[in-house]
């Protein structure tokens, strides 16, 4: 006799009906990810330029031959000392859903710097009109139009909370960033509910003094209740084959623990190196793809995929710093859902020394306080040394651009330096990938 069970977390498939959707979703998931990666890395300029929302392309590298083979990876690692002579560049993914376009623009402007690259993804739940408004807002900004370092993803994906489509969308964005620009050093993912606590001059100044092989990814070995609640259940992400968003679907079967690799979990918010991102996309030893297939039917795959890959790869496991560079206030217990930050959390945010915080309600007054007291933001962008317009009368100082390799660090850089020193201490690093 079949029973239908419903709950807030999903639908339960009967023993006889889960198999086909499971293997179908696994096949579709891997196919979509591989197609997105290959498509993003292939020559498809004609198709992209004809898209309504693909409004700005990044500057292309002159040397596009022989990318990302293993010998190139080794060459890049050996050239790390030379690369450190040039100030770093960051690549941001800012994601949102229905009703998030204005919040995404605010976050984008708060973290903007001409040296960086930015890609925005508004998922398929947002109506076409909102997606068009976001694209037009980016296209209409004179700085974005001149520098050409902001891009709105033309292919919107349906993203399911706790589903594997979240990691699929992230990997697609990374593939596009790798294809479009060869000049970034770290990848940072943010949502519309994230906001910076330091200026980009602060962040770039501190990262200028870091080794380019450090990955900031909060992680821990999966144990305890998470084995039964996160690892063993087999779920299906309906976003892989449906056109409307719905919750993940649960099957009645359980999986066994893998023997090829150890499982790790942690924060979905990461700051990862370009070399590690290349490895995840190309995976010359096939481990990233093997782990990707495993996480296709995993609960909250963004909280485990990169963590499991990095801690099972000898070249990278010693580069993993277990911190997500975010301030997050968790519910207690069981510390599973971030609480919305307000004015009462401002001092705690500052004292955390973290460069980012989440999550914020739309237009919460604390964001204005952060703009004023931490970012010095009075116009579009958080000002930096690259803003050289000294005109009076309250004009936007960033209307004219100066040298983007010069930074003007402030108190935020001092706070972040304190955090980084702690994270790089021998005691802290001894706990990585354990």
């Amino acid at each position: 006799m079949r029973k239908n069970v419903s709950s807030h977390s999903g639908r339960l498939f009967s023993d006889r009906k889960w198999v086909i959707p499971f293997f179908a979703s696994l096949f579709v998931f891997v196919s979509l990810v591989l197609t997105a990666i290959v498509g993003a890395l292939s020559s498809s300029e004609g198709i992209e330029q004809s898209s309504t929302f693909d409004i700005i392309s990044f500057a292309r590298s002159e040397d596009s031959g022989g990318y990302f083979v293993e010998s190139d990876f080794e060459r890049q690692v050996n050239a790390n000392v030379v690369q450190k002579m040039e100030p770093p560049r960051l690549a941001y993914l800012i994601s949102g859903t229905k009703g998030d376009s204005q919040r995404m623009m605010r976050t984008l402007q708060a973290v903007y710097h001409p040296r960086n690259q930015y890609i925005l993804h508004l998922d398929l739940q947002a109506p076409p009109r909102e997606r068009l408004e976001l694209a037009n807002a980016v296209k209409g900004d004179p700085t974005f139009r001149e520098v050409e370092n902001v891009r709105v993803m033309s292919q919107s994906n349906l993203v399911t909370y706790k589903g594997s489509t979240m990691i699929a969308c992230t990997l697609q964005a990374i593939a596009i960033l790798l294809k479009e620009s060869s000049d970034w050093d770290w990848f940072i993912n943010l949502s519309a509910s994230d906001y910076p606590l330091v200026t980009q001059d602060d962040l770039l100044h501190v990262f200028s003094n870091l080794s380019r092989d450090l990955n900031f990814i909060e992680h821990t070995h999966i144990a305890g209740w998470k084995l039964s609640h996160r690892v063993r259940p087999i779920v299906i992400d309906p976003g892989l084959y449906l056109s409307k968003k719905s919750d993940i679907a649960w099957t009645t079967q359980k999986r066994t623990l893998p023997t090829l690799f150890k499982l790790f979990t942690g924060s979905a918010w990461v700051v990862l190196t370009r070399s590690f991102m290349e490895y995840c996309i190309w995976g010359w030893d096939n481990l990233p793809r093997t782990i990707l297939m495993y996480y296709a039917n995993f609960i909250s795959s963004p909280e485990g995929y990169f963590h499991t890959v990095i801690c099972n790869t000898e070249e990278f496991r010693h580069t993993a710093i277990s911190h997500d560079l975010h301030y997050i206030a968790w519910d207690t217990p069981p510390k599973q859902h971030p609480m919305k930050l307000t004015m009462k959390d401002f001092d705690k945010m500052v004292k955390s020394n973290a460069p980012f915080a989440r999550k914020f309600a739309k237009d919460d007054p604390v964001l204005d306080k952060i703009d004023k007291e931490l970012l010095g933001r009075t116009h579009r962008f958080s000002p930096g040394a690259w803003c050289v317009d000294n005109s009076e009368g309250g004009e936007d100082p960033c209307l004219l651009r100066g040298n983007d390799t010069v930074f003007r660090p402030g108190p935020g850089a001092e706070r972040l330096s304190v955090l980084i020193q702690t994270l790089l201490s021998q005691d802290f690093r001894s706990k990585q990938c354990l």
Side-chain angles (χ1 to χ4, degrees):
M1 179 177 180
R2 186 181 67 183
K3 296 182 179 180
N4 293 329
V5 181
S6 61
S7 68
H8 69 281
S9 58
R11 302 182 306 276
L12 188 64
F13 279 12
S14 69
D15 289 335
R16 287 175 291 180
K17 289 192 174 183
W18 74 272
V19 178
I20 294 178
F22 166 67
F23 284 106
S25 65
L26 178 63
F27 174 77
V28 172
F29 173 74
V30 176
S31 299
L32 286 176
V33 172
L34 293 179
T35 300
I37 291 172
V38 172
L41 296 174
S42 65
S43 300
S44 56
E45 291 184 18
I47 297 176
E48 291 182 352
Q49 289 175 355
S50 65
S51 172
T52 302
F53 304 114
D54 187 13
I55 55 179
I56 298 179
S57 295
F58 298 139
R60 296 186 177 277
S61 171
E62 294 180 358
D63 180 12
S64 59
Y67 270 148
F68 315 143
V69 295
E70 187 169 0
S71 59
D72 286 336
F73 167 73
E74 294 173 352
R75 171 179 53 78
Q76 290 169 5
V77 172
N78 294 333
N80 229 7
V81 177
V82 177
Q83 292 175 355
K84 289 175 66 175
M85 299 296 293
E86 174 76 11
R89 299 176 187 267
L90 309 175
Y92 283 89
L93 165 64
I94 303 176
S95 57
T97 187
K98 181 180 179 180
D100 281 342
S101 58
Q102 293 182 357
R103 301 170 69 191
M104 292 172 66
M105 279 298 297
R106 180 167 186 168
T107 299
L108 168 63
Q109 291 170 341
V111 298
Y112 183 77
H113 194 283
R115 290 191 63 77
N116 299 337
Q117 304 289 346
Y118 302 87
I119 188 165
L120 310 181
H121 178 260
L122 191 60
D123 76 14
L124 202 58
Q125 189 180 30
R129 181 175 181 178
E130 183 179 7
R131 197 171 299 109
L132 180 60
E133 289 174 351
L134 177 63
N136 287 337
V138 172
K139 186 176 182 179
D141 188 285
T143 303
F144 298 160
R145 188 166 58 247
E146 180 182 357
V147 182
E148 295 187 335
N149 65 338
V150 180
R151 179 188 183 102
V152 177
M153 285 181 64
S154 59
Q155 179 184 345
S156 294
N157 303 290
L158 196 61
V159 178
T160 305
Y161 176 65
K162 290 189 176 182
S164 55
T165 44
M166 295 184 70
I167 198 67
C169 180
T170 301
L171 289 172
Q172 181 186 15
I174 292 169
I176 293 172
L177 287 164
L178 289 172
K179 170 179 177 284
E180 294 292 344
S181 175
S182 61
D183 296 329
W184 55 270
D185 302 285
W186 277 280
F187 167 80
I188 302 174
N189 64 330
L190 300 176
S191 74
S193 60
D194 289 58
Y195 212 67
L197 303 177
V198 301
T199 68
Q200 289 302 286
D201 272 21
D202 293 332
L203 189 59
L204 290 167
H205 171 75
V206 173
F207 273 53
S208 295
N209 299 308
L210 292 181
S211 170
R212 304 288 168 91
D213 65 354
L214 293 179
N215 291 279
F216 296 91
I217 177 169
E218 183 187 60
H219 60 275
T220 185
H221 185 67
I222 294 183
W225 67 270
K226 288 189 176 181
L227 287 175
S228 58
H229 288 77
R230 290 285 183 90
V231 176
R232 298 193 185 280
I234 299 175
V235 301
I236 297 173
D237 187 339
L240 294 170
Y241 53 87
L242 298 180
S243 58
K244 291 185 179 181
K245 181 177 289 190
S246 59
D247 207 347
I248 56 174
W250 298 72
T251 73
T252 57
Q253 302 300 309
K254 303 292 183 180
R255 76 175 90 204
T256 59
L257 295 179
T259 57
L260 180 62
F261 47 84
K262 296 180 180 179
L263 296 175
F264 290 80
T265 186
S267 173
W269 311 104
V270 295
V271 179
L272 300 174
T273 61
R274 180 188 177 92
S275 57
F276 179 61
M277 293 293 86
E278 291 171 350
Y279 175 68
C280 288
I281 295 298
W282 287 99
W284 42 83
D285 63 0
N286 209 42
L287 179 63
R289 282 185 287 275
T290 300
I291 296 177
L292 181 64
M293 289 189 290
Y294 184 84
Y295 276 92
N297 300 95
F298 200 93
I299 302 173
S300 299
S301 57
E303 297 179 4
Y305 172 69
F306 290 124
H307 317 67
T308 298
V309 173
I310 199 168
C311 285
N312 284 275
T313 307
E314 188 62 32
E315 294 93 335
F316 295 106
R317 65 188 313 270
H318 299 295
T319 70
I321 308 300
S322 189
H323 198 287
D324 60 5
L325 300 187
H326 271 69
Y327 173 79
I328 304 175
W330 295 98
D331 62 332
T332 53
K335 294 188 176 181
Q336 289 300 299
H337 302 286
M339 301 173 63
K340 290 184 179 179
L341 302 175
T342 61
M343 285 287 192
K344 64 181 179 62
D345 300 296
F346 182 80
D347 290 340
K348 295 178 182 178
M349 285 187 273
V350 175
K351 291 179 181 178
S352 73
N353 298 326
F356 303 100
R358 74 182 314 270
K359 63 182 187 176
F360 296 94
K362 182 179 180 180
D363 295 329
D364 191 281
V366 72
L367 297 175
D368 295 330
K369 187 176 179 67
I370 292 172
D371 280 342
K372 180 180 179 181
E373 299 188 18
L374 302 184
L375 305 181
R377 182 175 173 224
T378 58
H379 292 80
R380 292 177 301 160
F381 307 126
S382 302
W386 65 276
C387 303
V388 296
D389 192 338
N390 296 318
S391 59
E392 299 180 357
E395 294 292 332
D396 185 353
C398 300
L399 285 175
L400 293 180
R401 292 188 298 111
N403 187 349
D404 64 14
T405 64
V406 177
F407 308 131
R408 187 171 60 228
E414 297 177 7
R415 296 196 307 271
L416 180 56
S417 294
V418 172
L419 174 62
I420 295 298
Q421 289 175 7
T422 301
L423 299 181
L424 296 183
S425 66
Q426 187 63 34
D427 180 64
F428 195 93
R429 297 198 66 175
S430 64
K431 302 174 183 178
Q432 59 193 13
C433 288
L434 293 180

